[in-house]
Coordinates of all heavy atoms in Angstrom, one line a residue:
I1 N 9.2 -21.2 6.3 CA 10.1 -20.0 6.6 C 9.4 -18.7 6.2 O 9.6 -17.7 6.9 CB 11.5 -20.2 5.9 CG1 12.5 -19.2 6.6 CG2 11.4 -19.9 4.5 CD1 12.8 -19.6 8.0
C2 N 8.6 -18.7 5.1 CA 7.9 -17.5 4.7 C 6.8 -17.1 5.7 O 6.5 -16.0 5.9 CB 7.4 -17.7 3.3 SG 8.6 -17.7 2.0
E3 N 6.2 -18.2 6.2 CA 5.1 -17.9 7.2 C 5.7 -17.2 8.5 O 5.1 -16.4 9.1 CB 4.5 -19.2 7.7 CG 3.5 -19.7 6.6 CD 2.8 -21.0 7.1 OE1 2.9 -21.3 8.3 OE2 2.2 -21.7 6.3
V4 N 7.0 -17.5 8.7 CA 7.6 -16.9 9.9 C 8.3 -15.6 9.6 O 8.2 -14.6 10.4 CB 8.7 -17.9 10.5 CG1 9.5 -17.2 11.6 CG2 8.0 -19.2 10.9
K5 N 9.0 -15.5 8.5 CA 9.8 -14.4 8.1 C 9.2 -13.4 7.2 O 9.7 -12.2 7.1 CB 11.1 -14.8 7.5 CG 12.1 -15.6 8.5 CD 12.7 -14.6 9.5 CE 13.8 -15.2 10.3 NZ 14.4 -14.2 11.2
F6 N 8.1 -13.8 6.4 CA 7.6 -12.9 5.4 C 6.1 -13.0 5.4 O 5.5 -13.5 4.4 CB 8.2 -13.2 4.0 CG 8.1 -12.1 3.0 CD1 8.5 -10.8 3.3 CD2 7.5 -12.4 1.8 CE1 8.4 -9.8 2.3 CE2 7.4 -11.4 0.8 CZ 7.9 -10.1 1.1
R7 N 5.5 -12.5 6.5 CA 4.0 -12.7 6.6 C 3.3 -11.6 5.8 O 4.0 -10.8 5.1 CB 3.7 -12.5 8.1 CG 4.3 -13.6 9.0 CD 4.0 -13.3 10.4 NE 4.6 -14.4 11.3 CZ 4.5 -14.4 12.6 NH1 3.9 -13.5 13.3 NH2 5.1 -15.4 13.2
A8 N 2.0 -11.7 5.7 CA 1.2 -10.8 4.9 C 1.5 -9.3 5.1 O 1.6 -8.6 4.1 CB -0.3 -11.1 5.1
A9 N 1.7 -8.9 6.4 CA 2.0 -7.5 6.7 C 3.3 -7.1 6.1 O 3.5 -6.0 5.5 CB 2.0 -7.3 8.1
D10 N 4.3 -8.0 6.1 CA 5.6 -7.8 5.5 C 5.5 -7.7 4.0 O 6.2 -6.8 3.4 CB 6.6 -8.9 5.9 CG 6.8 -8.9 7.4 OD1 7.0 -7.9 8.1 OD2 6.7 -10.1 8.0
Q11 N 4.7 -8.5 3.4 CA 4.5 -8.5 2.0 C 3.9 -7.2 1.5 O 4.3 -6.6 0.5 CB 3.7 -9.7 1.5 CG 4.3 -11.0 1.8 CD 3.4 -12.2 1.4 OE1 2.7 -12.2 0.4 NE2 3.3 -13.2 2.3
I12 N 2.9 -6.8 2.2 CA 2.2 -5.5 1.9 C 3.2 -4.3 2.0 O 3.2 -3.4 1.2 CB 1.0 -5.3 2.8 CG1 -0.1 -6.3 2.3 CG2 0.4 -3.9 2.6 CD1 -1.3 -6.4 3.2
S13 N 4.0 -4.4 3.1 CA 5.0 -3.3 3.3 C 6.0 -3.3 2.1 O 6.3 -2.2 1.6 CB 5.7 -3.6 4.6 OG 6.8 -2.6 4.8
A14 N 6.4 -4.5 1.6 CA 7.3 -4.6 0.5 C 6.6 -4.0 -0.8 O 7.3 -3.4 -1.6 CB 7.7 -6.0 0.3
M15 N 5.3 -4.3 -1.0 CA 4.6 -3.7 -2.1 C 4.6 -2.2 -2.1 O 4.8 -1.6 -3.2 CB 3.1 -4.2 -2.1 CG 2.9 -5.7 -2.3 SD 1.2 -6.1 -2.1 CE 1.3 -7.9 -1.8
H16 N 4.4 -1.6 -1.0 CA 4.3 -0.2 -0.9 C 5.7 0.4 -1.1 O 5.9 1.6 -1.5 CB 3.8 0.3 0.4 CG 2.3 0.1 0.6 ND1 1.4 1.2 0.4 CD2 1.5 -1.0 0.8 CE1 0.2 0.8 0.6 NE2 0.2 -0.5 0.8
R17 N 6.7 -0.4 -0.9 CA 8.1 0.1 -1.2 C 8.6 -0.1 -2.6 O 9.4 0.6 -3.1 CB 9.0 -0.7 -0.2 CG 10.5 -0.2 -0.2 CD 11.3 -0.9 0.9 NE 11.6 -2.3 0.5 CZ 11.1 -3.3 1.0 NH1 10.3 -3.2 2.0 NH2 11.5 -4.5 0.6
L18 N 8.0 -1.1 -3.3 CA 8.5 -1.5 -4.6 C 7.6 -1.3 -5.8 O 8.1 -1.1 -6.9 CB 8.9 -3.0 -4.5 CG 9.9 -3.4 -3.5 CD1 10.0 -5.0 -3.4 CD2 11.3 -2.8 -3.8
D19 N 6.3 -1.4 -5.6 CA 5.3 -1.4 -6.7 C 5.0 0.0 -7.1 O 4.5 0.8 -6.3 CB 4.1 -2.2 -6.3 CG 3.1 -2.2 -7.5 OD1 3.5 -2.8 -8.5 OD2 2.0 -1.7 -7.4
P20 N 5.3 0.4 -8.3 CA 5.0 1.8 -8.8 C 3.5 2.2 -8.8 O 3.2 3.3 -8.5 CB 5.6 1.9 -10.2 CG 5.7 0.4 -10.6 CD 5.9 -0.4 -9.4
V21 N 2.7 1.2 -9.1 CA 1.2 1.5 -9.0 C 0.8 1.8 -7.6 O 0.0 2.8 -7.4 CB 0.4 0.3 -9.6 CG1 -1.1 0.5 -9.4 CG2 0.8 0.0 -11.0
I22 N 1.2 1.1 -6.7 CA 0.8 1.3 -5.3 C 1.4 2.6 -4.8 O 0.8 3.4 -4.0 CB 1.2 0.1 -4.4 CG1 0.3 -1.1 -4.6 CG2 1.2 0.5 -2.9 CD1 0.6 -2.3 -3.8
Q23 N 2.6 2.9 -5.2 CA 3.3 4.1 -4.8 C 2.5 5.4 -5.3 O 2.4 6.4 -4.6 CB 4.8 4.1 -5.3 CG 5.7 3.2 -4.6 CD 7.1 3.1 -5.2 OE1 7.3 3.6 -6.3 NE2 8.0 2.6 -4.4
A24 N 2.1 5.2 -6.6 CA 1.3 6.3 -7.2 C -0.1 6.5 -6.4 O -0.5 7.6 -6.1 CB 1.0 6.0 -8.6
L25 N -0.7 5.4 -6.1 CA -2.0 5.5 -5.3 C -1.7 6.1 -3.9 O -2.6 6.8 -3.4 CB -2.6 4.1 -5.2 CG -3.2 3.5 -6.5 CD1 -3.6 2.0 -6.3 CD2 -4.4 4.3 -7.0
D26 N -0.6 5.7 -3.3 CA -0.3 6.3 -2.0 C -0.1 7.8 -2.1 O -0.6 8.5 -1.2 CB 1.0 5.7 -1.4 CG 0.8 4.3 -0.9 OD1 -0.3 3.9 -0.5 OD2 1.8 3.5 -0.8
G27 N 0.5 8.2 -3.2 CA 0.7 9.7 -3.3 C -0.6 10.4 -3.5 O -0.9 11.5 -3.0
E28 N -1.5 9.8 -4.3 CA -2.8 10.3 -4.5 C -3.7 10.4 -3.3 O -4.4 11.3 -3.0 CB -3.6 9.6 -5.6 CG -3.0 9.7 -7.0 CD -3.8 8.9 -8.0 OE1 -5.0 8.6 -7.8 OE2 -3.2 8.5 -9.1
L29 N -3.5 9.3 -2.4 CA -4.3 9.2 -1.2 C -3.8 10.3 -0.2 O -4.7 10.9 0.5 CB -4.0 7.8 -0.5 CG -4.8 7.6 0.8 CD1 -6.3 7.7 0.6 CD2 -4.4 6.2 1.3
Q30 N -2.6 10.6 -0.2 CA -2.1 11.7 0.7 C -2.6 13.1 0.3 O -2.8 13.9 1.1 CB -0.5 11.7 0.7 CG 0.1 10.5 1.4 CD 1.6 10.6 1.3 OE1 2.2 11.5 0.7 NE2 2.3 9.7 2.0
N31 N -2.9 13.2 -1.0 CA -3.4 14.5 -1.5 C -4.9 14.5 -1.8 O -5.4 15.4 -2.4 CB -2.6 14.9 -2.8 CG -1.1 15.0 -2.6 OD1 -0.7 15.5 -1.6 ND2 -0.3 14.5 -3.5
A32 N -5.6 13.5 -1.3 CA -7.0 13.4 -1.6 C -7.7 14.6 -0.9 O -7.5 14.9 0.3 CB -7.6 12.1 -1.0
K33 N -8.7 15.2 -1.6 CA -9.3 16.4 -1.1 C -10.7 16.1 -0.5 O -11.1 16.9 0.3 CB -9.5 17.4 -2.3 CG -8.2 17.9 -2.9 CD -8.5 18.8 -4.1 CE -7.1 19.3 -4.7 NZ -7.4 20.2 -5.8
T34 N -11.3 15.0 -0.8 CA -12.5 14.6 -0.2 C -12.5 13.2 0.4 O -11.6 12.4 0.0 CB -13.7 14.7 -1.2 OG1 -13.5 13.7 -2.2 CG2 -13.7 16.0 -1.9
E35 N -13.4 13.0 1.3 CA -13.5 11.6 1.9 C -13.9 10.6 0.9 O -13.4 9.4 1.0 CB -14.6 11.7 3.1 CG -14.7 10.4 3.9 CD -13.4 10.1 4.7 OE1 -12.6 11.1 5.0 OE2 -13.2 8.9 5.0
A36 N -14.7 10.9 0.0 CA -15.1 10.0 -1.1 C -13.9 9.5 -1.9 O -13.7 8.4 -2.2 CB -16.2 10.6 -2.0
D37 N -13.0 10.5 -2.2 CA -11.9 10.2 -3.0 C -10.9 9.3 -2.2 O -10.3 8.3 -2.8 CB -11.1 11.5 -3.4 CG -11.8 12.3 -4.4 OD1 -12.7 11.7 -5.1 OD2 -11.5 13.5 -4.6
A38 N -10.8 9.5 -0.9 CA -9.9 8.7 -0.1 C -10.4 7.3 0.0 O -9.6 6.3 -0.1 CB -9.8 9.3 1.3
I39 N -11.7 7.1 0.1 CA -12.3 5.8 0.2 C -12.1 5.0 -1.1 O -11.8 3.8 -1.1 CB -13.8 5.9 0.5 CG1 -14.0 6.4 2.0 CG2 -14.5 4.5 0.4 CD1 -15.5 6.7 2.3
K40 N -12.2 5.7 -2.2 CA -12.1 5.1 -3.5 C -10.6 4.7 -3.7 O -10.3 3.6 -4.2 CB -12.5 6.1 -4.6 CG -12.4 5.5 -6.0 CD -12.8 6.5 -7.0 CE -12.7 6.0 -8.4 NZ -13.1 7.0 -9.5
L41 N -9.7 5.5 -3.3 CA -8.3 5.2 -3.4 C -7.9 4.0 -2.5 O -7.1 3.2 -2.9 CB -7.4 6.4 -3.1 CG -7.4 7.6 -4.2 CD1 -6.8 8.8 -3.6 CD2 -6.7 7.1 -5.4
K42 N -8.4 4.0 -1.3 CA -8.1 2.9 -0.4 C -8.6 1.6 -0.9 O -8.0 0.5 -0.8 CB -8.8 3.2 1.0 CG -8.1 4.2 1.8 CD -8.8 4.5 3.1 CE -8.1 5.6 3.9 NZ -8.8 5.8 5.2

């Protein structure tokens, strides 16, 4: 049922919604000033 209803893409989406570390990295990525910083954050 997880393979059907909760695939890897859904899990990653849930991480970005729930995990504070990922949320902080997402915020830093949006404000990245250089391409090198963006690559590192990704």
Side-chain angles (χ1 to χ4, degrees):
I1 198 67
C2 289
E3 284 182 15
V4 175
K5 290 288 189 179
F6 199 53
R7 298 177 179 175
D10 299 313
Q11 295 174 46
I12 290 172
S13 176
M15 292 175 196
H16 284 259
R17 189 177 71 251
L18 301 172
D19 184 62
V21 174
I22 288 182
Q23 289 175 345
L25 290 172
D26 282 337
E28 292 180 25
L29 181 60
Q30 289 180 355
N31 299 320
K33 297 179 179 179
T34 66
E35 185 65 24
D37 290 341
I39 292 173
K40 183 179 179 180
L41 289 168
K42 287 179 181 179

